[in-house]
Amino acid sequence: MLAAMPPTPTPTPAPGAPRVRERGDACPGALRLHSADDGHLARLRLPAGRLTERQVEVLAHAAETLGDGRISVTSRGNAELRGLAGDCGAELAALLAEAGLLPSPTHERVRNIVASPAAGLDGLGAADVQLWARELDERLCAAPWAAALSGRFLFVLDDGRGDVTGLGGDVTLVAVAPGAALLRLGDRTVRVAAADAPRAALAAARAFLTAAREAGTGAWRVRELPEGSGVDVRAALTTAGIAAEPVREPLPPHGAPPALAPGPLGPAALHVLALHVLAPLGRFTAGRLRALLPADEVRFTPWRGAVVVGADPGRLPALEAHGLITRPDSPWAGVSACTGRPGCAKSLADVRADAVPGRPGLPVHYSGCERRCGHPHGDWVDVLAAPGGGYLVDGAPVPRTDLTPAVTTARTAPRTAPRTTR
């Protein structure tokens, strides 16, 4: 059950040819560790990013005693532990299982569910999709066939505010009033009852597996299916006993979703007790993670932060004193980076040490190599380490010493068209 994960080369198809996957994906998990230059890595799926107080403490403890003392938040609101010893897998699994973080060892890598982090808290949105996420996760873990999904397959649940719709989900649910949801898979959208939404998402995932098996290309994601091998979503929903009707107007295209700003959630008149804070460059130290407590619940967000449920605005100064980003005008808001050196052998630079924020503006991501791991969705400033030193900022060569003005200009300059493809 526990294994160190070998690297898997990514085949590049010829122009116009479908991608063919000759083996299952090698995404790390909590039980399948990845060997990196700084030790082993574990990626823990957290549906909707949810953690109880006890689970927050367990993550902090695991990072301190088994890893390098840090917890990274991914662009899907999952958690990564790095610097792990190769023989710590059994101990880590026992810690996570005792805390309720491994409900299904066979499904732990496929529990990729992103949901609007502020759903049910601030009075916005058409439905509390956090509840959908819980039901979907339970159904996912209870379905033996679902273990065949790739560790990269993604469910996205948007409560109607549009904050996560553009995060590149394979199956996307959007709550709409009254009591309905739109389900998108590929370029097809149908309307279902809100009460059926979690079941419908699971049925759509099963339809994808059927289409992938028939295509014979080993597709991990919906977008990897060969042209013409469509997924019959309506037939799958009918088989599951779910009424659905086609929607002529598709969901918005995969664009740049509005990030949830750091600070208190919701209008002051609602007296919402919830805060959103960001981790610098997407990493919490164990101490910073514990600083979020006490909390009714903690929700990691796709913007590499955390919603602290049950926390009032009076706690913001203390959280800022711990080094967390608590204000939307912070220059570090929206700045992210890959692992870089020394943790990644492919990286050309220690991008985390070199990162500078510039002035607030577009998201900016520092990458140590052309894979650009963890980059944001939508439009963003691309800072790429170059061979021989220095960086490319949106393709323009920049010495390391000139990064601050170059990044400031790129984040704040008007753009005639978004640069979304790297």
Side-chain angles (χ1 to χ4, degrees), residues 265-287:
L265 295 185
L270 290 177
H271 304 290
V272 175
L273 292 181
L275 307 172
H276 182 219
V277 297
L278 301 175
L281 296 179
R283 281 187 178 181
F284 286 95
T285 62

Side-chain angles (χ1 to χ4, degrees), residues 353-401:
D354 292 343
V356 294
R359 282 199 295 269
L362 280 175
V364 55
H365 186 73
Y366 289 79
S367 302
C369 75
E370 292 186 352
R371 294 182 303 167
R372 296 176 171 85
C373 294
H375 71 75
H377 288 266
D379 197 12
W380 48 282
V381 176
D382 179 36
V383 185
L384 176 66
Y391 285 84
L392 301 176
V393 177
D394 283 335
V398 175
R400 183 181 286 104
T401 53

Side-chain angles (χ1 to χ4, degrees), residues 41-104:
L41 174 154
R43 183 175 298 155
L44 178 60
R45 270 66 174 186
L46 304 173
R50 294 190 320 273
L51 290 164
T52 64
E53 275 195 336
R54 168 64 178 152
Q55 290 168 342
V56 168
E57 178 55 46
V58 166
L59 269 186
H61 175 72
E64 284 180 327
T65 59
L66 302 177
D68 64 4
R70 298 178 179 86
I71 303 93
S72 297
V73 182
T74 76
S75 60
R76 294 181 170 190
N78 292 321
E80 285 187 351
L81 301 175
R82 299 189 69 97
L84 300 167
D87 60 357
C88 79
E91 184 177 358
L92 175 63
L95 279 174
L96 299 177
E98 186 275 332
L101 290 168
L102 287 178
S104 172

Side-chain angles (χ1 to χ4, degrees), residues 17-36:
R19 180 181 292 274
V20 177
R21 302 286 191 181
E22 296 180 351
R23 64 176 75 183
D25 79 276
C27 271
L31 302 178
R32 185 161 78 180
L33 307 185
H34 170 75
S35 179

Side-chain angles (χ1 to χ4, degrees), residues 38 53 82 102 172 213 230 252 300 325 333 340 359 372 419:
D38 59 349
E53 275 195 336
R82 299 189 69 97
L102 287 178
T172 299
R213 184 168 56 249
F300 282 171
I325 300 165
R359 282 199 295 269
R372 296 176 171 85
R419 292 190 282 266

